[in-house]
Amino acid sequence: MNQAADTSQAAEATPSGQYSGHNRISTQALTSLAKAAAADALGIHAHDVRADWSDDGGLLALSLVAPIRIPSLTAVLRDPGRVPALGGSIWDRTVHAKTDILTKVTELSGASLSRVDIRISGAHVTEEGRVR
């Protein structure tokens, strides 16, 4: 695992000095959070997501490789409105997912991310709606 994903923050002491030390989020915890956020955004299972961290000028850059859930072509032919209802094209959904993932990981972990890169590695085709 990359040391760049190891985030820490000094605790602020109260006037009485009762808080001291550091809070640290392990690389494994941060990776699990990123995988869960990506799975939610792409409509897949977290175990299908690969996450990698790198240092980007002092901030964390997150690289993800994952499939994306899509409706079957038969389902789209029967109901062309399924594509817009699911959030648009694969491209549009991936662009939107980057923002969602960056926001969730930043809010939940407090880590400073510079960017999220996503490589779609495949498609999980389904007849139903969004299934996880």
Side-chain angles (χ1 to χ4, degrees):
M1 290 280 161
N2 189 336
Q3 289 279 342
D6 217 4
T7 62
S8 64
Q9 200 169 37
E12 291 185 30
T14 62
S16 65
Q18 68 189 111
Y19 300 109
S20 62
H22 297 280
N23 294 327
R24 187 170 300 275
I25 301 171
S26 72
T27 303
Q28 183 177 2
L30 204 53
T31 299
S32 294
L33 173 60
K35 287 178 161 189
D40 187 52
L42 299 171
I44 56 171
H45 295 282
H47 64 79
D48 291 331
V49 179
R50 286 193 326 250
D52 229 358
W53 299 96
S54 61
D55 184 346
D56 186 23
L59 299 175
L60 293 173
L62 173 60
S63 295
L64 300 166
V65 178
I68 191 168
R69 179 145 323 264
I70 62 168
S72 71
L73 293 177
T74 305
V76 172
L77 286 172
R78 279 188 300 232
D79 179 10
R82 285 191 81 156
V83 173
L86 286 173
S89 69
I90 292 171
W91 180 266
D92 291 342
R93 290 174 53 208
T94 304
V95 169
H96 189 261
K98 289 165 75 166
T99 303
D100 287 351
I101 295 164
L102 187 135
T103 300
K104 282 182 185 174
V105 172
T106 299
E107 285 178 357
L108 293 173
S109 70
S112 299
L113 274 67
S114 61
R115 69 178 194 271
V116 174
D117 299 321
I118 301 175
R119 182 172 54 136
I120 299 298
S121 60
H124 283 228
V125 180
T126 182
E127 289 292 328
E128 304 88 40
R130 201 169 170 177
V131 178
R132 291 192 192 117

